[in-house]
Amino acid sequence: MSNHIKHYQFLDLIRTVGILQVVLFHILFGVFTYGESDAALALISNLPLWMTFAWQPFGVDAIFLVSSFLLTSALLDERERLGRIDIRAYILKRLLRILPLYYLALLLYQLASPFDLLDFTLSAVFLGVTLGVGNVIPVGWSMEVMMIFFLILPFLLTFVLKSKRPIFTLAIFVIIVTGSRIVFLVLSDISVNRLLLDTFQGFPAETAAKQLYYQPWFRLPPFLIGMMLAIIVNKARGSHREISGQATQFFGFFIILVCCFTPVNRENSWIYQLSDTVLVIYFGSLVTLFSFGLALAMWKPLVKNSKWNGSWIRACKIVSRCIFGIYLFHMPFIVLGAIIILQSLDKMQLTTITPGQIWMIFCVSTLLSLGFSQLLLRFIEAPVIKGSADLLTK
């Protein structure tokens, strides 16, 4: 069995937590986007501090990192077995894995919005957000990032493995990308202490802030760190030395907690008492910092081949298998869940929304998204995956 398959159970857990956090964040995002500033400020004051993690859009970075780890591990395994990487087969698999649901989402979302030929065309070729036009799909920016990276991954991995120190080479890439984020913040007109607050409080985010969040180049750290993790784990499995790693794992969890529970949503929090220089470095390196912490936390369970039993891990497997469907189609179900729970179409209801209602909307929209995604898996994804496997074996 391939190495990357052995540890899929543990990665199911990470992906499940990641996609659930994405759904929860988008519920909050919907409140402060559609309810505007009054609803946003009310939500900030109503939500308890322990829910601070819900304001942090790190779930997608966890998904990016796991996807990169899995694909890099598969390519390393193929290279070890065959002495080469079959780029044609790899690209065909990636396209057939992503395109069916992506194009279905593109068509459905386009039916619900005014048609713009340029917007639709660039969205179809995964370049809408990259070229500053936008994507028809609400979460299309992340699909663009993933597709662009997935297509360059085998070439990047081949280049990195030719160097004598591949981990060091990837670390340099991470430093360059992270440094570019920091330099971008320095050179832009962004008021760094309002970088997230304006969005969270219902005010339009500045163009530069959107570029920092959506542009593929600026979102590369989790992918690169996922590659590093795959190479390190692959080498560690090859050695027979005893693996400890408790301190590494603890440090990783500590970084994750700091990133997820720093109260960036509250204007009077301690984070905004820091100097602009510190804030620029913090916000510029935040994606890298979280991804690094997650990689440290994942390292030992991956190398030790950690296993769990129970219905909860089986539930994680179900969610993980449907992750693309949930990700692409959960936004309409959030709207439907809000209508069911609030029993109203009036935006003013959002100004009085409670934590309990947030969690009820989360449960309803998650279950609806999962159910719909199960249908997509059965009738679209599974047949396409089986057909592509048959095609590649001929």
Side-chain angles (χ1 to χ4, degrees):
M1 183 182 291
S2 300
N3 287 335
H4 67 285
I5 300 296
K6 291 180 181 178
H7 303 279
Y8 193 68
Q9 184 190 65
F10 173 69
L11 298 180
D12 285 340
L13 173 63
I14 304 297
R15 296 175 87 182
T16 298
V17 172
I19 193 63
L20 293 180
Q21 198 279 337
V22 167
V23 174
L24 183 58
F25 173 77
H26 281 156
I27 293 173
L28 304 189
F29 186 81
V31 173
F32 54 68
T33 298
Y34 297 106
E36 300 179 343
S37 58
D38 289 342
L41 293 172
L43 183 64
I44 290 171
S45 61
N46 288 340
L47 258 62
L49 286 175
W50 66 267
M51 283 185 64
T52 299
F53 73 93
W55 295 91
Q56 309 277 8
F58 290 129
V60 70
D61 294 306
I63 295 170
F64 287 166
L65 190 149
V66 171
S67 297
S68 176
F69 172 84
L70 283 169
L71 291 177
T72 303
S73 297
L75 291 176
L76 289 172
D77 181 69
E78 180 181 349
R79 190 171 181 269
E80 290 177 0
R81 289 185 293 104
L82 305 178
R84 63 182 181 87
I85 295 173
D86 188 340
I87 294 178
R88 175 183 170 277
Y90 167 84
I91 292 178
L92 183 61
K93 286 180 182 178
R94 290 301 93 214
L95 292 177
L96 291 175
R97 179 71 177 93
I98 293 176
L99 292 185
L101 290 193
Y102 181 81
Y103 283 149
L104 176 62
L106 182 60
L107 291 173
L108 292 179
Y109 283 114
Q110 183 61 80
L111 290 174
S113 59
F115 181 75
D116 182 287
L117 180 59
L118 179 61
D119 194 359
F120 182 84
T121 302
L122 291 179
S123 297
V125 295
F126 298 89
L127 290 175
V129 175
T130 304
L131 297 181
V133 175
N135 195 294
V136 173
I137 302 173
V139 294
W141 72 271
S142 52
M143 300 303 296
E144 289 188 20
V145 175
M146 283 193 285
M147 179 58 81
I148 291 171
F149 180 80
F150 290 167
L151 292 180
I152 68 172
L153 174 59
F155 305 100
L156 178 60
L157 181 62
T158 300
F159 171 78
V160 167
L161 292 177
K162 286 182 179 179
S163 65
K164 294 181 179 179
R165 301 170 66 184
I167 302 301
F168 179 77
T169 302
L170 283 170
I172 294 297
F173 288 160
V174 172
I175 291 171
I176 291 173
V177 175
T178 306
S180 71
R181 288 172 56 89
I182 294 172
V183 171
F184 180 79
L185 282 175
V186 172
L187 297 180
S188 67
D189 295 328
I190 296 176
S191 177
V192 69
N193 61 344
R194 302 294 309 180
L195 181 65
L196 297 178
L197 283 175
D198 281 351
T199 300
F200 292 156
Q201 295 181 4
F203 300 109
E206 297 182 51
T207 300
K210 292 180 179 178
Q211 290 179 339
L212 189 69
Y213 187 82
Y214 293 120
Q215 284 296 320
W217 170 259
F218 290 139
R219 300 311 297 251
L220 282 179
F223 292 104
L224 296 173
I225 292 173
M227 290 181 67
M228 293 173 63
L229 181 63
I231 294 172
I232 292 171
V233 169
N234 183 267
K235 289 184 177 180
R237 291 198 197 106
S239 66
H240 299 285
R241 294 188 301 176
E242 181 65 25
I243 301 296
S244 177
Q246 279 88 354
T248 299
Q249 197 170 20
F250 176 82
F251 186 50
F253 280 121
F254 175 76
I255 293 174
I256 292 171
L257 289 175
V258 170
C259 292
C260 290
F261 287 95
T262 298
V264 293
N265 57 306
R266 296 181 179 267
E267 196 162 1
N268 59 351
S269 69
W270 60 266
I271 184 72
Y272 296 115
Q273 308 306 313
L274 302 175
S275 68
D276 285 353
T277 301
V278 174
L279 289 176
V280 165
I281 295 173
Y282 178 74
F283 286 124
S285 60
L286 192 53
V287 171
T288 302
L289 187 64
F290 172 81
S291 302
F292 179 67
L294 181 59
L296 292 179
M298 290 170 59
W299 180 76
K300 182 182 176 183
L302 290 171
V303 175
K304 298 283 283 188
N305 193 12
S306 300
K307 298 283 186 181
W308 295 278
N309 294 310
S311 58
W312 65 276
I313 198 65
R314 289 192 292 272
C316 288
K317 183 177 181 180
I318 293 172
V319 173
S320 182
R321 290 183 66 197
C322 300
I323 194 166
F324 275 134
I326 296 172
Y327 189 72
L328 284 167
F329 295 100
H330 71 276
M331 298 288 266
F333 291 113
I334 288 177
V335 176
L336 180 57
I339 294 172
I340 292 172
I341 299 302
L342 300 178
Q343 297 183 342
S344 174
L345 294 173
D346 187 0
K347 290 183 179 180
M348 291 302 296
Q349 291 290 324
L350 298 176
T351 61
T352 59
I353 197 167
T354 66
Q357 289 173 323
I358 292 289
W359 284 108
M360 285 190 285
I361 294 171
F362 170 77
C363 292
V364 171
S365 56
T366 299
L367 290 175
L368 290 174
S369 301
L370 180 59
F372 184 67
S373 300
Q374 286 279 352
L375 294 176
L376 295 176
L377 177 66
R378 180 175 180 180
F379 294 108
I380 297 179
E381 290 186 275
V384 171
I385 292 172
K386 184 179 184 302
S388 64
D390 294 340
L391 179 65
L392 291 171
T393 54
K394 288 181 179 180

